[in-house]
Amino acid sequence: MSSTEGSSHAADKSPRPQVDRLLVGLRWRRLEEPLGFIKVLQWLFAIFAFGSCGSYSGETGATVRCNNEAKDVSSIIVLFGYPFRLNRVQYEMPLCDEDSTSKTMHLMGDFSAPAEFFVTLGIFSFFYTMAALVLYLRFHNLYTENKRFPLVDFCVTVSFTFFWLVAAAAWGKGLTDIKGATRPSSLTAAMSVCHGEEAVCSAGATPSMGLANISVLFGFINFFLWAGNCWFVFKETPWHGQGQDQGQGPSLESAAEQGAVEKQ
């Protein structure tokens, strides 16, 4: 008997039954409702937004051909990426003289503020939507019975809507400036050796900005998702019920008055 009791106690303490109880308590049908389905989309597109921006890296370059007797040709390759502090990115500019061989240069501009704000907002959106999904699926009774949860959810949803609009617009403007600063023609324009007659400079390949452009698109998609979800969250708040009660109040009074007149 003791061995069977010990095995039963060990089974109760194992994490597997606890996980099973948690999964059984989840109401997956909530995902078919707009409130849960949009949260899933917000969770996914938050990952796409901060993932595409935070993982971006590119390169730009140019070639410098000195007009000296040796006819030296130097290839310049500059690597850059998130968080786009371009003024800290170094590259070596060749010098077509006998005194020195190269000079350390830096790209122009610091665009870390809009990029880091965009990525940070995406990470916060990811964690909030994940917590909201757990609340919707596992503790939905608390969400419907306690009116504070819908109010907090509505205020947070409105805040994220505003922040996504600001972040997407700011990151789009910052990306435009990054494209201008990393253009090969901008690189050759910043090198003094290319302005004289001692060298001939040629622009290299233009950086590929496809992943960065997609991140801006994901930012605006997140804005539209959060803006659209404001209405469905508002319907769960007491404010929506008060509006309906006020709208039904005059109609009920007029119906009662009409019934009294008919009885007379």
Side-chain angles (χ1 to χ4, degrees), residues 60-65 74-78 91-95 105-108 179-207:
T60 184
T63 58
V64 178
R65 181 176 181 275
S74 301
S75 217
I76 302 173
I77 298 177
V78 185
Y91 63 95
E92 297 295 327
M93 180 187 70
L95 298 176
M105 301 283 291
H106 296 80
L107 295 178
M108 302 295 293
K179 291 178 181 179
T182 58
R183 193 179 295 117
S185 58
S186 301
L187 189 65
T188 56
M191 293 188 295
S192 58
V193 70
C194 299
H195 298 165
E197 298 179 354
E198 66 272 12
V200 176
C201 299
S202 302
T206 303

Side-chain angles (χ1 to χ4, degrees), residues 19 33-34 36 46-47 58 68 73 87 97 106 112 119 153 202 219 230 250 255:
V19 175
E33 301 175 1
I47 298 175
N68 52 18
V73 178
N87 56 352
D97 53 25
H106 296 80
S112 60
V119 171
D153 192 19
S202 302
C230 286

Side-chain angles (χ1 to χ4, degrees), residues 189-222:
M191 293 188 295
S192 58
V193 70
C194 299
H195 298 165
E197 298 179 354
E198 66 272 12
V200 176
C201 299
S202 302
T206 303
S208 177
M209 292 289 186
L211 188 61
N213 293 330
I214 292 176
S215 67
V216 177
L217 177 61
F218 286 147
F220 282 105
I221 291 177
N222 275 283

